[in-house]
Amino acid sequence: MGRLPGSEGGELMRVLLTGTSGFIGRHLHRALLDRGDQVFGIDLHATPLAHHGDALDFFRRDEERYDLAIHCAANVGGRASIDGSPLAVATNMALDAWYFQWLVRTGTPRAVYFSSSAAYPVELQQPGDIHRLVEDDIDLNNPGLPDASYGLAKVTGERLAQYAEAEGCRVHVLRPFSGYGEDQADCYPFPAFIGRAKRREDPFEVWGDGSSTRDWIHVDDVVGATLAAIDHDVTGPVNLGWGRATSFDQLAGQVTAAAGYTPRIKHLPTAPQGVHHRVCDPTRMLGYYQPAVTLEEGIRRALNS
């Protein structure tokens, strides 16, 4: 199909974007506008650039066809929300189901579905040697046990994406790993660490025993990889990450060193911490997109923001 037309030549692209005030949504919104695309944004929170409304109601009632749809609206709020509000998080399944029905009903030809690294079986993310998760580790016919109701919703969404594809809508399925950025809400680990370092907290609190690892990818690269996947018509699910394992203790050490001090680390073993290792094999993404913002650069930006 080739690259969709945008600001770099060709016809203007009309894009539906839900969740425009969310972390990924607002960055995508700016990037799409910078490309010259016409964006119809919708969000529960009114913004100068988005229409106020419920994406679920929109998908149920709207009949307009767009060139591209990107669905970022979701209930999520970090590990505490995933573990503490499983029923609220599970409402994402309803949102996604109506999204795919809307795509087929309106004949929208292309769409983005943000899945998640939480869709991977938890049995592959246990203590011991790190298993770098590859896209084929999820068999949608027998997906294993994903991470909580959030992961279950994402597995379900990926299956629904296949049905929409069969009806003629090209769906680009992306699996971001630990996305972060300087304007992320502090209910997520990275901005929480940055806030503690800016306040020069000592002791410095780390949830769990500090040995769990994550694969951090800056929001600029999440957006860049998403738009590149659309432009290159990348098929199949794609991991978005660096393939670099960083423990929470290591992250705390890097953040505090960059802030210019060395606090005592205080582990909170009873706090929610999720799976032990969550690191990707980024080979498929690297075939069309090279991430640019290293974790060290991301830390520097956040501390200076």
Side-chain angles (χ1 to χ4, degrees), residues 120 124-125 131-135 137 177 239 279-281:
Y120 282 101
L124 300 178
Q125 304 171 71
H131 172 81
R132 281 176 168 75
L133 299 159
V134 297
E135 289 84 356
D137 281 332
F177 275 64
N239 288 335
V279 185
C280 82
D281 180 335

Side-chain angles (χ1 to χ4, degrees), residues 103-254:
L103 290 171
V104 173
R105 188 176 73 244
T106 60
T108 296
R110 287 215 182 178
V112 170
Y113 179 65
F114 282 109
S115 183
S116 169
S117 55
Y120 282 101
V122 295
E123 67 182 5
L124 300 178
Q125 304 171 71
Q126 299 303 312
D129 293 338
I130 296 173
H131 172 81
R132 281 176 168 75
L133 299 159
V134 297
E135 289 84 356
D136 291 342
D137 281 332
I138 298 178
D139 176 357
L140 291 178
N141 295 316
N142 185 23
L145 180 66
D147 188 358
S149 62
Y150 182 72
L152 177 62
K154 294 303 185 182
V155 170
T156 303
E158 289 198 28
R159 292 199 64 171
L160 296 177
Q162 291 185 330
Y163 300 142
E165 280 263 358
E167 295 290 336
C169 178
R170 167 72 83 202
V171 183
H172 306 280
V173 177
L174 304 169
R175 296 175 184 160
F177 275 64
S178 294
Y180 73 97
E182 46 270 27
D183 61 337
Q184 190 178 28
D186 62 7
C187 58
Y188 292 90
F190 180 88
F193 277 31
I194 293 295
R196 290 168 198 160
K198 284 184 174 182
R199 295 186 296 271
R200 302 183 73 82
E201 292 186 4
D202 189 358
F204 190 99
E205 292 185 349
V206 173
W207 288 12
D209 66 6
S211 66
S212 298
T213 63
R214 294 296 182 267
D215 189 348
W216 300 95
I217 179 167
H218 192 272
V219 63
D220 285 359
D221 285 320
V222 173
V223 170
T226 298
L227 298 180
I230 297 166
D231 291 345
H232 293 279
D233 192 32
V234 176
T235 59
V238 180
N239 288 335
L240 304 186
W242 281 77
R244 175 182 173 183
T246 302
S247 74
F248 286 102
D249 275 355
Q250 289 172 330
L251 179 63
Q254 290 182 52

Side-chain angles (χ1 to χ4, degrees), residues 57-68:
D57 291 338
F58 178 88
F59 292 142
R60 284 171 171 162
R61 300 168 184 168
D62 182 75
E63 300 294 335
E64 190 169 353
R65 181 183 187 273
Y66 292 81
D67 299 314
L68 170 70

